Amino acid sequence: MTGRHRDGLPYAAVYRRVWDGPARAEAGRIDRAWAEWTVLYSLGKRCFYAMAAWDGPRPVIVKDITGEGLEERMREAEMIKAIRLAVRSSPAPVRGGVSRRRAGHSGVAVAEEPGGEAGFAGGRRSPGGRAA
């Protein structure tokens, strides 16, 4: 048997490499600053992700390649949430005793990326329309 922990031999010192240390530290700082969000840094994608902790019909996930950009997207998602809550709590105009609001469309939409595509919340779609 070979390796670093072979019986009868001392343990070998292994250099611990910290990948993208400054970016991971930035993700930790943002995570501590924003209580209603969980912030992660993806080493594989080299991208920051934030997931909202509030309840809603679907998860709110935003991403950006910089910490500042991620915080801006988080602010935008919170503004969308505040606007949706304000619209939902305002009295709806009544015509003939029936409300015009559509049922089942409350909550916060997923913030879109610059290219117009939504984040993870929608999932990938195959050409046939079924989730992959």
Side-chain angles (χ1 to χ4, degrees):
M1 180 189 310
T2 61
R4 298 176 191 254
H5 306 292
R6 188 172 177 184
D7 288 338
L9 296 177
Y11 289 107
V14 178
Y15 174 72
R16 184 170 189 264
R17 180 176 217 142
V18 178
W19 296 93
D20 289 342
R24 291 169 69 185
E26 177 74 4
R29 182 198 64 78
I30 296 170
D31 189 43
R32 288 186 299 275
W34 294 74
E36 290 190 345
W37 293 84
T38 299
V39 178
L40 307 167
Y41 179 75
S42 171
L43 291 172
K45 300 275 187 180
R46 301 279 203 269
C47 192
F48 293 90
Y49 291 90
M51 295 162 278
W54 62 71
D55 289 333
R58 52 188 171 157
V60 178
I61 301 172
V62 293
K63 74 175 188 173
D64 201 274
I65 57 172
T66 65
E68 296 84 17
L70 181 74
E71 288 183 291
E72 181 62 31
R73 293 199 181 284
M74 292 163 66
R75 277 188 214 95
E76 290 171 3
E78 286 188 348
M79 293 278 263
I80 291 170
K81 175 188 170 192
I83 291 169
R84 295 262 171 114
L85 288 174
V87 168
R88 187 170 44 176
S89 65
S90 67
V94 178
R95 291 185 185 171
V98 178
S99 174
R100 290 285 188 188
R101 290 194 308 179
R102 292 180 5 189
H105 290 284
S106 61
V108 179
V110 176
E112 292 187 0
E113 296 178 17
E117 70 180 46
F120 283 137
R124 292 185 179 172
R125 299 271 178 197
S126 65
R130 293 176 24 197

